[in-house]
Amino acid sequence: MSVLAIDAGTTGVTALVISPNGAVTARGYAEFAQHYPRPGWVEHVPEEIWQATLVACRQVLDAAGGGHQGGVAGGGHHGGVAPGAPPVTCVGITNQRETAVIWDRADLAAPRPAIVWQDRRTARICEALRDAGHEARVTELTGLRLDPYFTATKITWLADEEPAVWAGLADGSLAAGTVDSYLIARLTGGRRHVTDASNASRTLLFDIGAGRWSAELCDLLRVPQRALPEVVPSTGVIGRTDPAAFGGLDLPIAGIAGDQQAALFGQACFAPGDAKCTYGTGSFVLANTGSSIASPAAGLVSTVAWMDGSGALTYAAEGSVFVTGAAVQWLRDGLGLIDDAAQSEYLAASVPDSGGVVFVPALTGLGAPHWDPDARGTVFGITRGTTRAHLARATLEAIAFEVRDVYDAMAALPGGHAPVLRVDGGGAANGLLMQMQADQLQVPVERPEVGETTALGAAFLAGLGTGVWSSLDEIAATWRLDRRFEPGARDEAGHARWCRAVERSKGWAR
């Protein structure tokens, strides 16, 4: 009764086998390349995402079943794992959300690279739409704002810059979707072109009140509606894997959610007011708002959290910080200041403070609550005494400050912000950062035993749709605390310096 969870992130694909008690029994992982063809542009090759998915799934099923007769990529054992292992009974999928993928409906080949959520190329399109007075209506229908982050303007850009691709979308020969839709097309051998409501709500094309694509927004943003996927519930069987495409495996696909909504589900944040923050490439704070769409507070957006099997929608308020873990990665890969991400904690702890250094990691613009695609990364306060340790500490401080700014904006929500923040993702393993976060928020921060809650949420949705778990209460009972960080003194002077630095970073690329 185990579940295979596929988590297609921004830099790689993680595959987990989750047991009925919520434990991770096997793991697989494969990276794929990031491409930066121009400043502010970020692309992926869809085929590389698919191949990474196959590799990660082969690894996890081999680990779970002790061998796979060639594994996922090459034909393997029909039905899940080898005899004697807990059977994998269904598949759940979660994904980087706003990335736009185009593929041929006939052969599933992608005619161009995917345009990634971090990509800023559509900033001028968003600005023109805003100047024309469209943003209020877009927000009214979608809960979002006009920003290059979201999917639709990436397709608008194709209409202007790659008319042959756009024409293929218009005539129906090409399909458009987010990464979940692309993976489901590949997993089902092209039989299904679907997305769930949580992913649809990130496109600027989905009416979150009505629960359907908006013809009005498709016309405004020049997105051919016939190219879009069918919107389905986040839990429940929506198709089966094609054995010819997925190494002989015939499994129901029964759970889909965008990565941040999946993490909210994986953290068992089922009640209105429950909140979590995922520390990955960026950091994303979501608060469950139940069946109510929250009026957009300063700098926040409203989004679909998930759709149940009956079609009922649960909503969330979200603050998206674009660069947090990616800033630590930049210290490693861009500057060579650290050998691995874990070293950032040791290095930052070697100094009592940042020595007055402030780093604004606006490497792909600023997200919530500032929303400035033209902001750029800046470092202030460098002196002759500044060391790499000070820059490492300033990086961790920046992450804590960014999340505080979003959390403070959530005070405007009904009931105020959450009294406890549940955390997950790679950055949550950094104890110094989590203590800084508790200090800045002045609320306890809780880290679960299973940190990969994004994949866990996909597994829970799939298992809920196939009977592995019978209720939300049963799922919530699997959540286990690893560590609780209690708030200490808050560095208000440091946050004030941060706010000054953020203002100076804005508009740099304009």
Side-chain angles (χ1 to χ4, degrees):
M1 293 288 287
S2 295
V3 181
L4 171 62
I6 299 172
D7 178 1
T10 304
T11 58
V13 178
T14 300
L16 303 180
V17 171
I18 305 295
S19 70
N21 67 358
V24 177
T25 60
R27 238 181 221 92
Y29 179 75
E31 290 188 353
F32 52 82
Q34 321 304 301
H35 303 280
Y36 308 96
R38 297 186 191 179
W41 289 27
V42 188
E43 296 181 341
H44 293 153
V45 175
E47 182 65 27
E48 293 178 356
I49 299 175
W50 172 237
Q51 291 302 321
T53 301
L54 294 177
V55 170
C57 289
R58 181 172 66 246
Q59 290 175 356
V60 74
L61 293 175
D62 283 350
H68 241 290
Q69 303 177 23
V72 168
H77 177 71
H78 183 83
V81 296
V88 171
T89 57
C90 59
V91 179
I93 296 171
T94 184
N95 55 285
Q96 53 167 311
R97 296 176 296 178
E98 298 81 5
T99 296
V101 190
I102 311 296
W103 66 95
D104 190 291
R105 291 180 188 266
D107 63 11
L108 305 182
R112 68 162 336 278
I115 304 177
V116 178
W117 60 272
Q118 297 167 312
D119 192 283
R120 304 277 92 189
R121 75 185 68 184
T122 68
R124 300 288 78 83
I125 294 173
C126 294
E127 185 177 356
L129 289 164
R130 194 178 302 113
D131 290 346
H134 294 298
E135 185 161 54
R137 179 60 173 164
V138 169
T139 299
E140 178 186 356
L141 291 175
T142 68
L144 309 178
R145 56 191 299 130
L146 287 167
D147 189 86
Y149 175 35
F150 303 108
T151 316
T153 59
K154 299 170 174 60
I155 300 174
T156 309
W157 182 88
L158 292 175
D160 295 330
E161 303 296 333
E162 297 183 15
V165 173
W166 189 90
L169 297 173
D171 69 22
S173 61
L174 297 180
T178 41
V179 171
D180 60 310
S181 300
Y182 172 69
L183 289 182
I184 291 168
R186 297 302 300 259
L187 286 165
T188 62
R191 292 178 178 84
R192 297 292 279 151
H193 182 36
V194 301
T195 190
D196 90 300
S198 73
N199 278 292
S201 74
R202 310 300 295 181
T203 61
L204 287 174
L205 300 171
F206 190 70
D207 183 334
I208 62 172
R212 60 175 179 263
W213 296 120
S214 167
E216 176 186 345
L217 293 177
C218 287
D219 289 343
L220 174 66
L221 296 168
R222 292 181 285 161
V223 176
Q225 191 167 343
R226 70 183 301 178
L228 298 177
E230 174 190 356
V231 179
V232 298
S234 307
T235 180
V237 177
I238 57 86
R240 300 188 71 88
T241 62
D242 178 4
F246 200 49
L249 300 178
D250 177 11
L251 294 168
I253 301 170
I256 317 166
D259 52 9
Q260 302 313 317
Q261 292 97 324
L264 190 71
F265 203 87
Q267 285 275 33
C269 292
F270 300 141
D274 289 349
K276 70 87 196 176
C277 180
T278 297
Y279 297 82
T281 301
S283 289
F284 301 85
V285 185
L286 271 72
N288 186 323
T289 61
S291 60
S292 300
I293 302 172
S295 298
L300 302 179
V301 301
S302 294
T303 195
V304 173
W306 49 79
M307 177 193 283
D308 70 18
S310 73
L313 295 169
T314 295
Y315 299 96
E318 176 173 340
S320 307
V321 179
F322 295 156
V323 174
T324 53
V328 177
Q329 188 179 48
W330 178 69
L331 294 183
R332 183 193 69 191
D333 300 337
L335 299 184
L337 297 185
I338 56 176
D339 297 324
D340 55 59
Q343 191 180 359
S344 65
E345 179 176 5
Y346 166 79
L347 194 60
S350 70
V351 291
D353 53 50
S354 69
V357 175
V358 180
F359 173 31
V360 182
L363 307 183
T364 57
L366 286 171
H370 307 284
W371 296 103
D372 184 353
D374 292 316
R376 289 296 179 266
T378 53
V379 182
F380 294 100
I382 297 174
T383 68
R384 183 63 183 83
T386 298
T387 68
R388 64 185 186 131
H390 293 114
L391 189 54
R393 192 170 185 102
T395 301
L396 299 189
E397 289 180 349
I399 297 171
F401 292 149
E402 288 180 296
V403 172
R404 171 183 168 175
D405 291 346
V406 169
Y407 195 77
D408 286 349
M410 287 185 169
L413 296 174
H417 47 52
V420 174
L421 184 68
R422 289 186 168 179
V423 297
D424 54 77
N430 187 315
L432 176 61
L433 173 59
M434 292 301 97
Q435 187 58 57
M436 287 179 174
Q437 195 67 82
D439 296 345
Q440 283 297 314
L441 300 185
Q442 289 295 289
V443 300
V445 167
E446 292 185 341
R447 184 173 67 195
E449 286 185 2
V450 177
E452 293 165 302
T453 54
T454 301
L456 191 62
F460 285 157
L461 287 164
L464 189 64
T466 56
V468 177
W469 295 281
S470 62
S471 67
L472 296 183
D473 288 342
E474 188 177 349
I475 290 172
T478 70
W479 193 93
R480 292 179 293 275
L481 178 69
D482 170 53
R483 183 175 172 186
R484 180 179 169 106
F485 297 85
E486 297 290 348
R490 179 153 66 175
D491 181 6
E492 293 287 17
H495 184 256
R497 285 194 301 272
W498 158 260
C499 292
R500 288 168 51 208
V502 167
E503 290 304 312
R504 295 186 182 189
S505 76
K506 292 180 178 179
W508 186 262
R510 185 175 297 275

